[in-house]
Amino acid sequence: MEYQQRLQTQITNRDKAKAYIKNKSFDTIATHGVYDLNEALANQGSVIEPVFMSTAQGFSHADELQAALAYEIPSWSYTRIHNPTLYYLESTLALLESYDCGVEAGCCVTSSGMSAITTVTDALLADSPHANFVSSSQIYGGSFQQFSIRQAQKNRQVRWVAPDAPMQSWAAQIDENTRFIYIEVPSNPGLAMCDIEMLAGLAHANNIPLIVDATLATPALIRPFQFGADIVIHSLSKIIAASGSVIGGAIIAKENITARFLPDDVSANFCQHLKLLPNRDNGACLSPMQAFLVLSELRTLRMRVDAFSQNTLKVAQFLQGHPKVEQVLYPGLLDYPQYQLAQKYFELVDSAKNSLHNQPEKRYGHLLSFRVKDGVQAAKQVINNLRLIFCATDLGRVKTIATIPAISTHQQQGDKGRQLANIPDNLIRLSVGAENADDIIQDLDQALGNHNNCNNNHHGNIDVLQRPHR
């Protein structure tokens, strides 16, 4: 039939486009993705990927409709299931995350980072009424709540392990009902590292997948597939879309993930399974406009991560020498507790290609945390004194943002949960943006210098924050 010939031509062209772009550099993949001249000509010559705002796709006749809804032919049918704009974003994210890793990967974008986490964990835990999973104790507050409360309501048990615990401590938590290991690298807000390679080996020895939330690193700094991870999760709302205009999430899974409890066809293409079945029914889809906005920002990811990271190191070094700062946590500092592990995993992608001496450059991301002397009230006053830096429960922005996790993003964990995650009350999380580093430092200096001045309040009382946000 005519539609079958048309679709076969489309499949052939897209396979060629992917094979061609996959051999290019990171920035080139981020800029072009799989949108080549053939795709452009199919979209009236548009140089930039179009936004398909239509909720549904029309078909030439009933047989094509039937085949599409039975997933027998490539189509997008209905935007809750798929959409061409989502295809351009998902293909690009999969290529970037698998860049230089020697694996093939798929991607499923979702309505938020939390929906991505929920989609993955529910899919992997669904087969057993007594399933458990092992997680690093230092993760984002929303993830902590999802694991400790929402999954517990479904009779699924999380088993916490400190990120720097020896491998035998992780291994001791795994049994026949364990479905996966979950880590966040680096963690929010404590910047803790886990040894991805070692944990991937442990997971695979037990025939279960390793899941890595790499939101803070992005594929510009750490690509967990290089070290054996099976599934990578991102909150697209953060540094990947630094403008702050997007809420979205992404699941990237390599082909044939290690999961003894999944059918072979699901393990082979886990993201396609999520898109066409669980997410079809649960409705965790990303809107086409949000996908387009992410795609637009993705083109400059490596350059932004490079610039923000250099800013952050300068700010961290300043804070390290400030008399009113008790401790600074940043992987690029020599006294960072897991400095050697950070050296193993952090590297600016393609930096060796772009340097004069063919040597890779170390970059450590846009997030740091620091502890203010004299406790939580002093930390609050520092926040209140800030003039340039915004007080908000957000990170990864082009603008520098600060918050106190104990009273905001990790408030609902309670005292015991924060103690488990090593989040003291006087910890300030600082997401460094694109401003001149000297201006950021100047604002921090005056805020720290004036933290005994209770009348200098530019942001008001921040105790009103009630819910965990990233």
Side-chain angles (χ1 to χ4, degrees):
M1 293 185 179
E2 180 274 332
Y3 77 84
Q4 292 174 325
Q5 184 177 354
R6 168 170 46 83
L7 290 173
Q8 187 56 54
T9 299
Q10 181 188 69
I11 292 169
T12 300
N13 287 337
R14 287 184 169 180
D15 287 345
K16 288 180 179 178
K18 182 178 178 181
Y20 173 77
I21 200 67
K22 187 174 182 179
N23 294 317
K24 302 302 179 183
S25 295
F26 189 91
D27 284 340
T28 303
I29 295 172
T31 301
H32 286 267
V34 295
Y35 191 79
D36 66 351
L37 182 59
N38 282 316
E39 285 289 327
L41 293 176
N43 289 294
Q44 303 200 31
S46 175
V47 173
I48 298 298
E49 296 88 337
V51 185
F52 285 76
M53 292 296 289
S54 174
T55 57
Q57 171 187 2
F59 296 95
S60 58
H61 49 70
D63 287 343
E64 184 180 6
L65 170 67
Q66 182 178 5
L69 271 295
Y71 301 145
E72 294 172 355
I73 59 173
S75 69
W76 58 277
S77 302
Y78 192 67
T79 290
R80 174 165 50 79
I81 303 171
H82 197 35
N83 179 283
T85 312
L86 270 61
Y87 163 74
Y88 299 135
L89 174 59
E90 289 172 338
S91 298
T92 305
L93 285 169
L95 286 169
L96 293 177
E97 194 62 62
S98 60
Y99 179 73
D100 204 26
C101 294
V103 300
E104 298 291 329
C107 177
C108 173
V109 292
T110 65
S111 56
S112 69
M114 284 309 306
S115 70
I117 293 169
T118 304
T119 294
V120 170
T121 54
D122 277 355
L124 294 177
L125 294 167
D127 75 310
S128 172
H130 305 294
N132 67 72
F133 58 101
V134 181
S135 173
S136 168
S137 60
Q138 294 196 34
I139 55 175
Y140 159 58
S143 304
F144 190 96
Q145 296 295 101
Q146 166 67 217
F147 293 171
S148 62
I149 296 177
R150 305 307 162 207
Q151 292 299 339
Q153 290 171 343
K154 303 169 188 175
N155 295 315
R156 300 160 179 172
Q157 181 190 33
V158 59
R159 297 174 175 180
W160 301 111
V161 182
D164 58 351
M167 283 300 115
Q168 55 264 37
S169 296
W170 290 86
Q173 298 298 327
I174 297 173
D175 61 28
E176 67 276 6
N177 290 316
T178 303
R179 292 297 180 256
F180 57 85
I181 297 175
Y182 183 98
I183 59 176
E184 189 173 291
V185 178
S187 72
N188 168 17
L191 286 305
M193 297 288 294
C194 291
D195 195 325
I196 303 171
E197 189 170 29
M198 294 289 287
L199 287 171
L202 175 64
H204 296 165
N206 289 275
N207 288 316
I208 57 175
L210 173 66
I211 304 170
V212 181
D213 182 337
T215 294
L216 296 185
T218 81
L221 293 182
I222 300 175
R223 292 177 305 289
F225 292 151
Q226 280 188 316
F227 306 100
D230 296 274
I231 300 168
V232 179
I233 290 175
H234 289 286
S235 170
L236 300 176
S237 320
K238 308 308 180 291
I239 183 68
I240 284 178
S243 68
S245 304
V246 172
I247 294 291
I251 304 155
I252 303 102
K254 66 185 183 184
E255 291 183 356
N256 298 308
I257 64 171
T258 302
R260 53 178 158 73
F261 50 91
L262 291 180
D264 289 345
D265 60 325
V266 175
S267 297
N269 195 335
F270 186 63
C271 283
Q272 179 174 283
H273 164 76
L274 295 178
K275 282 182 68 65
L276 300 185
L277 294 173
N279 273 16
R280 175 199 67 188
D281 301 335
N282 296 330
C285 56
L286 184 68
S287 79
M289 180 56 74
Q290 297 287 80
F292 174 77
L293 292 173
V294 176
L295 195 58
S296 298
E297 295 203 53
L298 198 57
R299 307 185 208 281
T300 60
L301 177 63
R302 189 190 65 84
M303 292 173 271
R304 277 187 285 110
V305 167
D306 186 9
F308 290 14
S309 295
Q310 293 188 58
N311 267 358
T312 309
L313 181 59
K314 291 178 183 177
V315 173
Q317 290 169 337
F318 159 74
L319 290 169
Q320 195 175 34
H322 200 285
K324 292 180 181 176
V325 172
E326 188 175 290
Q327 182 186 29
V328 182
L329 294 170
Y330 186 63
L333 296 177
L334 289 173
D335 66 352
Y336 170 70
Q338 297 171 293
Y339 184 74
Q340 292 305 316
L341 206 56
Q343 292 299 300
K344 176 179 178 179
Y345 289 113
F346 279 99
E347 182 179 305
L348 182 64
V349 65
D350 280 351
S351 55
K353 295 180 182 179
N354 301 323
S355 72
L356 293 175
H357 306 290
N358 295 319
Q359 294 296 316
E361 297 177 4
K362 294 294 183 181
R363 296 290 186 269
Y364 302 95
H366 62 283
L367 195 74
L368 66 85
S369 289
F370 64 99
R371 295 174 62 179
V372 179
K373 291 181 179 178
D374 302 325
V376 64
Q377 291 304 319
K380 285 184 178 182
Q381 196 56 55
V382 170
I383 293 289
N384 293 342
N385 289 340
L386 294 170
R387 303 187 64 182
L388 178 70
I389 297 168
F390 277 77
C391 168
T393 56
D394 203 358
L395 60 83
R397 291 296 144 255
V398 70
K399 297 181 179 181
T400 299
I401 292 176
T403 192
I404 302 173
I407 64 170
S408 59
T409 57
H410 293 67
Q411 181 192 117
Q412 293 184 342
Q413 282 183 217
D415 292 339
K416 289 184 178 179
R418 288 191 296 275
Q419 185 177 7
L420 178 68
N422 194 25
I423 302 171
D425 291 346
N426 64 337
L427 187 78
I428 292 177
R429 186 186 74 185
L430 188 71
S431 176
V432 178
E435 305 95 338
N436 186 286
D438 291 341
D439 292 330
I440 301 169
I441 288 169
Q442 185 180 46
D443 195 31
L444 287 167
D445 193 28
Q446 66 82 25
L448 286 159
N450 296 331
H451 80 252
N452 290 320
N453 180 2
C454 296
N455 295 320
N456 187 9
N457 186 337
H458 297 276
H459 292 285
N461 186 345
I462 60 174
D463 277 334
V464 296
L465 300 175
Q466 294 295 322
R467 298 181 182 275
H469 302 279
R470 236 203 229 271

